[in-house]
């Protein structure tokens, strides 16, 4: 008994903890940046700010993805839902001049609904998350194309006589693209950080967060302990949808248009970020800090490759290799 | 307590000065162990003593350790499970290691498939699997998935897996924890045969009667240290317990005087429909009553439906059950585990790994999972409260753990069971449904669990108890109902229940036809 009560710490050495190891991947990438600094470009603050800006939309998707993966599932529909919301948001703000707040709320409702639908199918009919979100991925993409008529929704609005007329860029687009704190951080990055904090709170501070871990760890044992499986899954996929909505709005603002083809293969980037962070695809393990580190690792990697003007071909090959290297780094030997 | 000298027979296996460390805790410290051909050597000790760890070192599961292993007098060091298997060591792991989605024969030959050139010889494997299963008295379809079978059958399959290859040394780590009496008899017959063939058997168990039925020699570990080795004939039970626990225990089954009070549960015509296409309902129109402060034993062989009865009442099968239930003077109909918990039920399942615990989560999180609402006003968790409560509950079940924030899969089997019990204590139930509560739990801890049951009934809790350990069921129950093919075939009071009577009723033979619900008022 005394053995138990006198120690609150985990028996693990801090060097062996998952966080340290994931951090190691980030540090290695960072050091690479210091070495291959492209004539000092890596030392400029602007480079880091741009990296953060570029990675934010993916990062927002990765937040929802973390919740879903921890619950033992996966969400392949994030890219499509992003495109759907980007299209809707552009339609509302550019074509219909809807009030910003109304447009935002409507878009987030649409995207959450998509997520909730996937969750409901998974929880109610016991269909595998891979399949049901794959279906949602296809469905939402189709919906985005239908809503937009297959066109990019931009500020070049087609008139009745077939000519295009440019309308003004909606204020909200400019706001999302603006920089804060003396040009040091973009609004999109701030939104991303808020999403991280929200997910962190859900996972560590809320009862439902604990339920997600329990379900991912052992669904049957969780069910027999009275964990509400249905509600928890709806929450996880609903939140993933919500984050897709947020990412879609940001994407629309950054591109100044709603592109029904946007977000293709974003789900893979988001999954890669979560996995590099060390969150297990089997569910039950992982946390938000790890995802944040994973997002930054990929972000820096891309940035370093691009400031060194490495072509896309080599960039993709290197990224693939680094994903494996990072995941290997986390493996423990028994 | 020094090890005895037995130089009359050259040992098959000798392990010397074995030490093993997990991160910072020393789990084995200078342990020795010896096994001769043709002997059953019991490895005994409390939960967490290091028995499984020692055997996992032998089986090549853990490769980082100190000390020497000698096989047939020559030093050996195994770098993988495969290494050890090729050297003739087979192990039946304490926690089943079967793949539920693969068929029986695929599981038996997993990793060592029989083949001709690149082609698997499926027919031959199925045939051999059938023979092996027949050898343990099991007649099941080998082409069905292992997950479709009950835990008892799965355990027999696990045993066959170890017998499939003519190993010199067979380690059985609590092989009977999910077996019924009849199956245990068969296993013992097999062990006898293996002994005669000159193989060495290491047998780990917490069941006293088993030890004295099959042991040739006994080695005891305590807290990772070697205590001693002695021939079973020279080591009496009291002495053995003293070696294991470090002190003497008053009595093995301390059931206090029963004090039944008002009826808390009234069940009429309760049925659970067939689950996996069995021809009859697994629980068939069962009626009984349960009083506050009493322990009702539910006996039955494998497939009798006793476990399903408990699960059905709790809500494991949702509302796919029928019957009239009155729980604490209120009508109750099972709809799901959450509702069952709210109504005051708690179910300790019989398989802590699959359905009892979230192995990757830590002790605190597991302990508070079923009553998490208590610790989360408005949905916000209060970690300090959780920790304090888990500490108290852990203490009340005498949990031994290095830290409360370690994941439960790093605990020994018995301590895992205690975490599962602590979880249900935390929900403050009125009725505890205990399905094998002492599975894999050491003598000392069993004693503590019995004391806990006494304490709970004294406080007015009602308990329904399933146990495949007949002495335990007989000693701890105030009344026993016996089930056979989903029906109650007999009911006994503690005084007139005997092992023979229960077994007879469990096999469906009753002297007088039993009328459900009428013998108790
Ligand atoms: N992977 C691990 N990491 C840390 N500690 C471990 C690990 N595996 C086992 N232990 C610890 O080693 C000790 C011995 O465990 P072991 O499983 O060998 O006990 P045991 O004698 O088999 O007990 P039981 O009868 O309950 O099965 C326990 O205190 C356990 O907590
Ligand atoms: Mg063990």
């Amino acid at each position: 008994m005394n053995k138990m009560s006198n120690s609150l710490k985990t028996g693990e050495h801090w060097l062996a903890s998952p966080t340290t190891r994931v951090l190691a991947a980030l540090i290695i990438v960072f050091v690479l940046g210091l070495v291959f600094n492209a004539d000092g470009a890596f030392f400029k603050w602007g480079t880091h700010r741009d990296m953060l800006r570029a990675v934010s939309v993916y990062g927002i998707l990765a937040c929802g993805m973390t919740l879903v993966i921890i619950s033992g599932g996966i969400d392949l529909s994030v890219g499509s839902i992003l495109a759907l919301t980007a299209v809707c948001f552009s339609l509302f703000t550019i074509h219909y001049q809807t009030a910003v707040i109304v447009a935002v709320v409507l878009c987030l409702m649409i995207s959450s609904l998509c997520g909730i639908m996937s969750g409901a199918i998974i929880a109610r009919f016991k269909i595998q998350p891979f399949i049901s979100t794959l279906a949602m991925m296809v469905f939402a993409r189709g919906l985005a194309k239908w809503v937009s008529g297959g066109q990019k929704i931009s500020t070049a609005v087609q008139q009745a006589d077939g000519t295009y007329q440019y309308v003004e860029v909606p204020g909200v687009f400019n706001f999302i693209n603006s920089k804060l704190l003396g040009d040091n951080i973009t609004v999109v990055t701030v939104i991303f950080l808020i999403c991280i904090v929200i997910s962190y709170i859900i996972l560590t501070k809320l009862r439902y967060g604990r339920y997600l871990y329990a379900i991912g760890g052992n669904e049957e044992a969780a069910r027999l302990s009275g964990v509400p499986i249905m509600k928890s899954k709806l929450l996880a996929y609903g939140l993933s949808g919500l984050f897709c909505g947020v990412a879609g709005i940001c994407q629309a603002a950054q591109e100044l248009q709603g592109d029904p083809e946007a977000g293709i293969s974003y789900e893979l980037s988001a999954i890669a970020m979560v996995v590099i962070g060390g969150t297990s695809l089997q569910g039950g393990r992982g946390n938000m800090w790890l995802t944040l580190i994973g997002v930054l690792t990929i972000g820096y990697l891309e940035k370093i490759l691009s400031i060194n003007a490495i072509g896309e071909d080599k960039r993709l090959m290197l990224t693939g290799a680094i994903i494996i290297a990072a995941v290997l780094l986390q493996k423990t030997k028994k | 307590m020094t090890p005895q000298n037995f130089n009359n027979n050259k040992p098959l296996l000798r392990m010397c000065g074995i030490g093993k460390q997990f991160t910072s805790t020393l789990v084995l410290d200078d342990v020795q162990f010896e096994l001769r051909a043709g002997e059953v050597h019991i490895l005994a000790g409390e939960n967490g003593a290091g028995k499984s760890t020692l055997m996992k070192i032998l089986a090549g599961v853990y490769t980082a350790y100190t000390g020497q292993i000698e096989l047939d007098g020559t030093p050996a060091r195994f770098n993988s499970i495969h290494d050890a298997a090729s050297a003739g060591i087979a192990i039946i792991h304490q926690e089943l290691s079967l793949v539920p989605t693969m068929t029986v024969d695929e599981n038996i030959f997993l990793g060592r498939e029989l083949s001709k050139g690149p082609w698997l010889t499926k027919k031959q494997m199925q045939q051999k699997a059938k023979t092996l299963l027949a050898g343990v008295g099991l007649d099941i379809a080998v082409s069905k998935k292992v997950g479709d079978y009950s835990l008892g059958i799965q355990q027999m399959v696990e045993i066959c897996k170890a017998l499939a290859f003519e190993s010199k040394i067979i380690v059985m780590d609590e092989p009977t924890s999910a077996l019924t009496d009849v199956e245990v008899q068969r296993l013992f017959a097999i062990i006898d045969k293996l002994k005669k063939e000159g193989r060495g058997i290491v047998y780990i168990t917490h069941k006293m009667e088993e030890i004295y039925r099959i042991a040739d020699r006994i080695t005891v570990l305590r807290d990772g240290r070697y205590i001693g080795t002695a021939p079973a004939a020279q080591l009496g039970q009291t002495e053995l317990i003293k070696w294991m626990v470090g002190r003497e225990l008053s009595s093995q089954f301390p059931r206090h005087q029963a004090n039944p009070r008002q009826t808390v549960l009234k069940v009429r015509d309760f049925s659970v429909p067939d689950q996996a296409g069995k021809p009859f309902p697994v629980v068939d129109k069962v009626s009984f009553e349960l009083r506050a402060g009493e322990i009702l034993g539910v006996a039955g062989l494998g497939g009798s439906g006793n476990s399903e009865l408990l699960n059905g009442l709790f809500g494991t099968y949702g509302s796919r059950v029928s019957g009239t239930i009155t729980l604490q003077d209120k009508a109750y109909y099972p709809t799901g585990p959450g509702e069952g918990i709210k109504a005051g039920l708690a179910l300790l399942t019989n398989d802590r790994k699959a359905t009892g615990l979230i192995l990757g989560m830590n002790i605190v999180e597991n302990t508070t999972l079923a009553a998490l609402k208590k610790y989360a006003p408005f949905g916000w968790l209060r970690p300090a409260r959780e920790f304090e409560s888990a500490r108290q509950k852990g203490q009340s079940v005498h949990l031994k753990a290095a830290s409360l924030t370690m994941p439960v899969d790093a605990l020994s089997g018995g301590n895992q069971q205690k975490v599962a019990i602590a979880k249900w204590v935390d929900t403050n139930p009125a009725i505890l449904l205990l399905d094998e509560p002492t599975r894999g739990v050491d003598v000392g801890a069993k004693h503590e669990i019995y004391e806990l049951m006494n304490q709970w009934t004294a406080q007015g809790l009602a308990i329904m108890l399933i146990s495949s350990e007949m002495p335990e069921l007989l000693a701890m129950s105030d009344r026993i109902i016996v089930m056979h093919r989903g029906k109650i075939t007999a009911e006994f009071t503690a005084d007139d229940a005997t092992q023979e009577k229960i077994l007879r009723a469990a096999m469906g033979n009753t002297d007088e036809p039993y009328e459900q619900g009428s013998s108790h008022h």
Side-chain angles (χ1 to χ4, degrees), chain A residues 1 3-13 201 203-208 210-211 213-227 284-285 333-334, chain B residues 23-24 314-316 337-338 341 349 353-358 360-361 365 368-370 372-373 376 379-381 386-387 391 395 399 401-405 409 423-424:
Chain A
M1 213 63 307
K3 249 204 258 172
M4 194 181 85
S5 35
N6 67 11
S7 125
L8 313 186
K9 57 186 192 299
T10 47
E12 210 162 20
H13 196 269
I201 289 174
L203 282 176
T204 58
K205 306 278 181 226
L206 297 191
R207 183 156 56 93
Y208 272 91
R210 179 72 55 77
Y211 287 163
Y213 282 102
I215 292 171
N218 183 341
E219 186 167 337
E220 184 61 5
R223 187 178 78 87
L224 290 177
S225 298
V227 171
R285 280 159 215 256
K333 194 172 176 341
K334 266 216 172 154
Chain B
T23 49
S24 57
F314 178 66
T316 304
I341 294 170
T349 61
K353 192 178 173 191
T355 54
L357 295 168
I358 320 281
M361 282 171 64
E365 291 163 339
T368 57
L369 185 61
L372 202 54
K373 275 197 181 137
W380 286 75
L381 294 169
E386 274 190 81
F387 188 91
R391 199 183 58 76
Q395 227 154 36
L399 177 70
S403 129
L404 282 179
T405 49
D409 58 3
K423 173 175 77 180
W424 290 116

Side-chain angles (χ1 to χ4, degrees), chain B residues 278-290:
Chain B
K278 283 199 202 97
F280 47 85
V282 281
V283 176
D284 194 4
K285 295 208 169 137
V286 160
S287 302
F288 65 92
E289 283 178 11
L290 179 68

